[in-house]
Each structure stands twice: as C-alpha cells, then as structure tokens.
Amino acid sequence: MAKINCIGILTSGGDAPGMNAAIRAVTRSAIYNGLEVKGIMRGYRGLIYDEIEPFKTNSVSNIIQQGGTILKTARSKEFQTAEGRQIAYEALQREGIDALVVIGGDGSLTGARIFAQEFNYPIVGLPGTIDNDLQGTDLTIGYDTALNTIMQAVDKIRDTASSHERLFFIEVMGRECGFLALNGAIASGAEAAIIPEMMLQQDQLADLISNGFRKSKNSSLVLVTEGDITGGAMAMAERVKIEYPQYDVRVTILGHVQRGGSPTANDRILASRMGAAAIDALLDGQRNVMIGIQNDEIVYVPFSKAIKKNKPVQQDLLNTLKVLSI
Ligand code: ATP
C-alpha cells in the first residue's frame, strides 16, 4: 500500500452545518500527523477545474462556529462521466494528493465509491448532510443543528396555530427519510409527522383525522417530509380542504433555513471526532469507508453499505409521538 504524504479534502452536495468543523478537524489532525493538506474548492468540480489550494493550520482558524462550508460546495455532472473522473484523477496525480477525504451525502459518497474503485484510490468519507439518511451511522453532521432549527421554528408557529385554532402542516427537509420530521415533531410537541417510511403502510392523514386530533385540542401541528413520496405539505393541505373542509388549515415550508446557521455543540463535537477519525482511518490503511458513529463509538462503514437506501426508523420514535400527542 502506497504511503500517504498528502491528503485532499472536499465538501460536496448540499451544505450542512458542521462541515466547517469537519474541515478544521481533518486539516488539523492531518498536519498533527505530519501530512500535507490541500483544500479542493466546490466539490468534485474543483478537481476537474483545478481549484486546489494548500491548507495550513490557520486556513481553518475561526470556522468551527460557522455554518456552510469554506470550501464551497457544488454539484458536478462532469464527475458522473468516466471522462470527468479521469480528468479529476490526473489533477490529483499532478497535485501529489495521495488520498481524499470527502464530506457529503449519499450522492457524494456514491461518487467517491465509483472513483475509488475505478482508480484504486484511497478515499475516506464523512457523512455531511442534515437528512441523517446514511446507513451505518446513528447521526450525520448537520442533522442535530437542523433539528434544533426546526424545533425553534415550530415553537413559533405554535403561537399562531393555538391563537387562531388552526391546523398547520409544516414541511421539513429529508426527501426519502423522515428523521427530521419525526424527531422534529417529538422535540416540538407536534401532533404528528407524515413521513415517507410510513407512506405505504398506512394513510397517515386519514389516521390523524380519524383519531380525532381536535378532540382535546383546538390547534394542531403536523410535520411533513418534503418530496414526491409524501407529496409535501401543500398536497396534504389540499387534501384536507377537500376531504375535511371543517378544518382551518395553513402551510409553512421551512426550506433552506434548515440548512444554515451556526452548528450546535453536538454537531461540532461529532464533526471534530469524525474528522480526526478520518485521518486515523487513512493512516491505519482503511480505504473506501465512511466514518460513522454507533452507540457513541466511531465505526468504519463500507461505502456500499452507507449509501444503501431506506435507513430504518425506530419504532419507539413512532410510538412515542403517537402516545404523547393524545
Ligand atoms: P445531499 O444529501 O445534501 O443532497 P449529496 O451528496 O447526496 O448531498 P448529490 O447532489 O446527490 O448530493 O451528489 C453530489 C455530487 O456527487 C454530484 O453532483 C456528483 O458530482 C457526485 N455524484 C453523485 N452521484 C454520482 C454518481 N453516480 N457517480 C459519480 N458521481 C456522483
């Protein structure tokens, strides 16, 4: 196995709070271990267009508290082609970068997996996404901050919902994954969460209505995961207007507010631990794994497992929400 002297680091896909803390941790622990570090701008795009710069300890000063990513992020169509990846590989050779740390979501880690296999190139991934949709890790970097943002927003919407005695559908991010909606609902004391994982099993809206959600309350908050599977909050509200016109219904789409802001202490600590673990993993000879956390222990998750769809939702979360919203 070739010795690693220089690592490259990039952030890719959607930004997530805590990515900067991860960049800082990777950079500092690489330097601590005697490695050279290069920052690659705008994800895989930066490899193709040679946007690469040397990183020193102070390149990552004062960023642990900042949302977003100082490396910027982008979506690169070219990297999805064999020609694009060849150009990226040549850039890495030219720059003397022996291994990569990729911080991003399932798309970014899918790209990493393909690239690593094609060129037999060492890559370690960090789960950077607010959606918490990667397998093999209890948490992803950015999820806790987004959850706190959702909780604070729902607390505010509750004031209007209860004053006007309304039913609110609040749309949150997550695409195929209901963690933000489900835990956001538990944290904010909402009545229900309509999540993709439960779409096939039951008609969540009909259940909610038939359980008589206004029996003991004069307002209701329902969190809905965005995307095609649930249809989103607008579609829910339209259905209520037609099927249950007695309800005064409103919609709030939280949108990109969920992706921004200063990371929580938990996200900063998670990102710092995972960033340091990425360097330990590379120096340990680990290849093509994502750093995960399970039961508060760092684990290595093969890319093929990490990017598998349909991360299971714990049944106890569903039960807790149901029991506490009577
Ligand atoms: P988020 O979960 O926040 O959306 P993500 O990492 O899943 O983040 P994507 O837009 O899906 O975001 O992927 C980011 C980038 O990863 C893509 O723009 C592309 O460059 C690369 N990528 C994704 N899928 C592939 C693939 N099949 N082959 C090669 N590269 C890919």
Side-chain angles (χ1 to χ4, degrees):
M1 205 174 289
K3 188 169 179 297
I4 294 172
N5 295 310
C6 173
I7 62 131
I9 172 167
L10 62 83
T11 49
S12 166
D15 67 323
M19 278 185 163
N20 279 327
I23 294 167
R24 172 179 177 271
V26 170
T27 302
R28 295 244 165 116
S29 42
I31 292 171
Y32 178 87
N33 283 287
L35 303 179
E36 209 186 317
V37 181
K38 295 197 175 176
I40 298 150
M41 303 299 293
R42 298 180 182 80
Y44 295 122
R45 203 189 120 89
L47 280 179
I48 294 170
Y49 290 93
D50 228 339
E51 298 179 76
I52 301 171
E53 43 192 77
F55 259 37
K56 303 282 172 236
T57 315
N58 65 5
S59 309
V60 293
S61 297
N62 237 329
I63 64 167
I64 194 168
Q65 78 285 16
Q66 290 174 23
T69 157
I70 60 160
L71 286 173
K72 314 286 183 197
T73 182
R75 296 195 151 98
S76 168
K77 285 240 174 306
E78 285 150 298
F79 194 76
Q80 295 187 30
T81 66
E83 299 77 39
R85 291 193 293 275
Q86 179 64 38
I87 296 171
Y89 180 68
E90 285 162 16
L92 288 169
Q93 298 293 98
R94 207 167 43 244
E95 291 279 344
I97 299 173
D98 307 311
L100 271 182
V101 177
V102 170
I103 309 171
D106 61 337
S108 305
L109 299 185
T110 302
R113 178 179 183 231
I114 293 168
F115 187 85
Q117 275 177 353
E118 259 172 7
F119 298 98
N120 189 24
Y121 192 87
I123 307 187
V124 166
L126 294 187
T129 167
I130 66 165
D131 297 342
N132 201 25
D133 58 352
L134 289 159
Q135 298 257 14
T137 185
D138 296 339
L139 296 165
T140 58
I141 297 165
Y143 169 64
D144 185 63
T145 306
L147 202 50
N148 276 279
T149 302
I150 290 168
M151 180 186 72
Q152 285 160 13
V154 177
D155 285 350
K156 290 181 181 159
I157 294 167
R158 178 187 285 282
D159 292 344
T160 299
S162 72
S163 301
H164 285 268
E165 306 188 274
R166 279 177 183 154
L167 162 61
F168 262 88
F169 288 106
I170 303 157
E171 184 173 302
V172 301
M173 288 186 171
R175 275 185 296 190
E176 286 154 37
C177 194
F179 280 91
L180 285 171
L182 185 54
N183 280 322
I186 294 174
S188 57
E191 272 62 46
I194 294 180
I195 60 171
E197 292 86 343
M198 298 304 290
M199 250 7 235
L200 290 179
Q201 281 97 315
Q202 66 193 79
D203 183 341
Q204 298 170 85
L205 182 62
D207 281 2
L208 181 71
I209 304 275
S210 70
N211 287 342
F213 69 94
R214 286 187 78 168
K215 267 187 199 147
S216 57
K217 295 170 187 171
N218 55 11
S219 69
S220 280
L221 300 164
V222 179
L223 273 65
V224 183
T225 304
E226 67 179 359
D228 295 340
I229 303 178
T230 65
M234 280 297 189
M236 282 302 149
E238 288 307 319
R239 219 186 119 190
V240 169
K241 278 183 199 160
I242 295 164
E243 295 177 35
Y244 312 98
Q246 67 273 34
Y247 296 115
D248 186 11
V249 60
R250 292 289 187 281
V251 167
T252 301
I253 295 172
L254 292 186
H256 282 83
V257 73
Q258 297 163 88
R259 289 245 293 259
S262 182
T264 58
N266 280 338
D267 268 333
R268 295 181 198 195
I269 295 165
L270 181 68
S272 300
R273 287 178 76 185
M274 286 182 160
I279 297 303
D280 290 345
L282 280 171
L283 293 177
D284 225 27
Q286 291 290 332
R287 301 288 182 261
N288 314 329
V289 292
M290 179 190 81
I291 304 297
I293 193 147
Q294 288 174 12
N295 304 319
D296 207 30
E297 299 272 347
I298 292 288
V299 292
Y300 301 144
V301 187
F303 284 148
S304 53
K305 176 172 180 204
I307 59 180
K308 275 210 181 102
K309 301 269 180 212
N310 306 324
K311 183 174 181 174
V313 168
Q314 298 103 301
Q315 188 60 41
D316 83 282
L317 294 176
L318 295 164
N319 292 343
T320 301
L321 179 58
K322 197 167 173 190
V323 168
L324 299 186
S325 64
I326 49 168

Short mmCIF file of all heavy atoms in Angstrom, two decimals, residues 146-167:
data_model
loop_
_atom_site.label_atom_id
_atom_site.label_comp_id
_atom_site.label_asym_id
_atom_site.label_seq_id
_atom_site.Cartn_x
_atom_site.Cartn_y
_atom_site.Cartn_z
N ALA A 146 -30.00 21.14 12.28
CA ALA A 146 -31.25 21.30 11.52
C ALA A 146 -32.45 20.97 12.40
O ALA A 146 -33.48 21.66 12.36
CB ALA A 146 -31.23 20.41 10.29
N LEU A 147 -32.30 19.95 13.21
CA LEU A 147 -33.39 19.55 14.11
C LEU A 147 -33.71 20.67 15.10
O LEU A 147 -34.88 20.98 15.36
CB LEU A 147 -32.93 18.29 14.86
CG LEU A 147 -33.96 17.37 15.45
CD1 LEU A 147 -35.04 17.01 14.46
CD2 LEU A 147 -33.25 16.10 15.94
N ASN A 148 -32.68 21.29 15.62
CA ASN A 148 -32.88 22.41 16.54
C ASN A 148 -33.53 23.61 15.85
O ASN A 148 -34.39 24.29 16.42
CB ASN A 148 -31.55 22.82 17.19
CG ASN A 148 -31.23 21.95 18.38
OD1 ASN A 148 -31.74 22.16 19.47
ND2 ASN A 148 -30.43 20.92 18.17
N THR A 149 -33.13 23.85 14.60
CA THR A 149 -33.74 24.95 13.83
C THR A 149 -35.23 24.67 13.63
O THR A 149 -36.07 25.56 13.79
CB THR A 149 -33.04 25.09 12.46
OG1 THR A 149 -31.66 25.31 12.70
CG2 THR A 149 -33.62 26.22 11.64
N ILE A 150 -35.55 23.43 13.28
CA ILE A 150 -36.95 23.05 13.08
C ILE A 150 -37.73 23.23 14.38
O ILE A 150 -38.82 23.81 14.40
CB ILE A 150 -37.04 21.58 12.59
CG1 ILE A 150 -36.50 21.48 11.16
CG2 ILE A 150 -38.48 21.05 12.68
CD1 ILE A 150 -36.27 20.05 10.68
N MET A 151 -37.16 22.77 15.47
CA MET A 151 -37.85 22.87 16.77
C MET A 151 -38.17 24.33 17.10
O MET A 151 -39.28 24.68 17.50
CB MET A 151 -36.97 22.25 17.86
CG MET A 151 -37.56 22.29 19.23
SD MET A 151 -36.38 21.70 20.45
CE MET A 151 -35.21 23.05 20.50
N GLN A 152 -37.18 25.21 16.88
CA GLN A 152 -37.40 26.62 17.20
C GLN A 152 -38.47 27.24 16.30
O GLN A 152 -39.30 28.02 16.76
CB GLN A 152 -36.09 27.40 17.07
CG GLN A 152 -35.15 27.10 18.24
CD GLN A 152 -33.70 27.43 17.95
OE1 GLN A 152 -33.39 28.09 16.96
NE2 GLN A 152 -32.81 26.94 18.79
N ALA A 153 -38.46 26.84 15.03
CA ALA A 153 -39.46 27.38 14.09
C ALA A 153 -40.86 26.89 14.47
O ALA A 153 -41.82 27.67 14.47
CB ALA A 153 -39.11 26.96 12.67
N VAL A 154 -40.96 25.61 14.81
CA VAL A 154 -42.29 25.06 15.14
C VAL A 154 -42.80 25.69 16.45
O VAL A 154 -44.00 25.99 16.56
CB VAL A 154 -42.25 23.51 15.24
CG1 VAL A 154 -43.61 22.97 15.65
CG2 VAL A 154 -41.84 22.91 13.91
N ASP A 155 -41.91 25.95 17.39
CA ASP A 155 -42.33 26.63 18.62
C ASP A 155 -43.01 27.95 18.28
O ASP A 155 -44.01 28.34 18.89
CB ASP A 155 -41.12 26.94 19.53
CG ASP A 155 -40.59 25.70 20.23
OD1 ASP A 155 -41.25 24.65 20.18
OD2 ASP A 155 -39.50 25.80 20.85
N LYS A 156 -42.47 28.67 17.30
CA LYS A 156 -43.04 29.97 16.93
C LYS A 156 -44.37 29.80 16.20
O LYS A 156 -45.32 30.54 16.45
CB LYS A 156 -42.04 30.75 16.06
CG LYS A 156 -40.86 31.19 16.90
CD LYS A 156 -39.84 31.97 16.12
CE LYS A 156 -38.71 32.31 17.09
NZ LYS A 156 -37.47 32.61 16.48
N ILE A 157 -44.42 28.83 15.31
CA ILE A 157 -45.67 28.60 14.56
C ILE A 157 -46.78 28.20 15.52
O ILE A 157 -47.95 28.54 15.33
CB ILE A 157 -45.44 27.54 13.45
CG1 ILE A 157 -44.46 28.10 12.41
CG2 ILE A 157 -46.76 27.14 12.79
CD1 ILE A 157 -43.91 27.07 11.45
N ARG A 158 -46.41 27.50 16.57
CA ARG A 158 -47.40 27.06 17.57
C ARG A 158 -48.19 28.24 18.13
O ARG A 158 -49.39 28.14 18.40
CB ARG A 158 -46.70 26.32 18.71
CG ARG A 158 -47.61 25.87 19.82
CD ARG A 158 -46.78 25.30 20.96
NE ARG A 158 -46.25 23.98 20.65
CZ ARG A 158 -46.98 22.86 20.72
NH1 ARG A 158 -48.25 22.92 21.05
NH2 ARG A 158 -46.45 21.69 20.44
N ASP A 159 -47.53 29.37 18.32
CA ASP A 159 -48.22 30.54 18.87
C ASP A 159 -49.41 30.91 17.99
O ASP A 159 -50.52 31.14 18.48
CB ASP A 159 -47.27 31.73 18.99
CG ASP A 159 -46.20 31.49 20.05
OD1 ASP A 159 -46.38 30.56 20.87
OD2 ASP A 159 -45.20 32.21 20.05
N THR A 160 -49.18 30.97 16.69
CA THR A 160 -50.27 31.33 15.76
C THR A 160 -51.29 30.20 15.68
O THR A 160 -52.50 30.45 15.68
CB THR A 160 -49.69 31.61 14.35
OG1 THR A 160 -48.80 32.69 14.47
CG2 THR A 160 -50.78 31.95 13.35
N ALA A 161 -50.79 28.97 15.60
CA ALA A 161 -51.71 27.83 15.49
C ALA A 161 -52.68 27.82 16.67
O ALA A 161 -53.89 27.65 16.48
CB ALA A 161 -50.92 26.52 15.44
N SER A 162 -52.18 28.06 17.87
CA SER A 162 -53.08 27.97 19.02
C SER A 162 -53.94 29.23 19.13
O SER A 162 -55.11 29.15 19.50
CB SER A 162 -52.33 27.65 20.30
OG SER A 162 -51.59 28.75 20.71
N SER A 163 -53.40 30.39 18.80
CA SER A 163 -54.22 31.62 18.89
C SER A 163 -55.39 31.58 17.91
O SER A 163 -56.49 32.00 18.24
CB SER A 163 -53.36 32.85 18.59
OG SER A 163 -52.31 32.93 19.51
N HIS A 164 -55.12 31.09 16.70
CA HIS A 164 -56.17 31.06 15.67
C HIS A 164 -56.90 29.73 15.59
O HIS A 164 -57.77 29.56 14.74
CB HIS A 164 -55.56 31.37 14.30
CG HIS A 164 -55.22 32.81 14.10
ND1 HIS A 164 -56.08 33.71 13.54
CD2 HIS A 164 -54.11 33.49 14.41
CE1 HIS A 164 -55.50 34.91 13.51
NE2 HIS A 164 -54.30 34.79 14.03
N GLU A 165 -56.51 28.79 16.42
CA GLU A 165 -57.12 27.46 16.43
C GLU A 165 -57.08 26.81 15.04
O GLU A 165 -58.09 26.45 14.47
CB GLU A 165 -58.55 27.53 16.97
CG GLU A 165 -58.57 28.20 18.33
CD GLU A 165 -59.90 28.15 19.03
OE1 GLU A 165 -60.73 29.02 18.78
OE2 GLU A 165 -60.10 27.20 19.79
N ARG A 166 -55.88 26.72 14.54
CA ARG A 166 -55.69 26.21 13.18
C ARG A 166 -54.92 24.90 13.16
O ARG A 166 -54.23 24.54 14.11
CB ARG A 166 -54.86 27.22 12.38
CG ARG A 166 -55.69 28.36 11.85
CD ARG A 166 -54.82 29.37 11.14
NE ARG A 166 -55.64 30.48 10.70
CZ ARG A 166 -55.19 31.71 10.50
NH1 ARG A 166 -53.92 31.99 10.69
NH2 ARG A 166 -56.00 32.65 10.09
N LEU A 167 -55.05 24.24 12.01
CA LEU A 167 -54.23 23.06 11.72
C LEU A 167 -53.10 23.51 10.78
O LEU A 167 -53.37 24.08 9.72
CB LEU A 167 -55.11 22.01 11.04
CG LEU A 167 -54.43 20.89 10.27
CD1 LEU A 167 -53.53 20.05 11.16
CD2 LEU A 167 -55.48 19.99 9.59
#
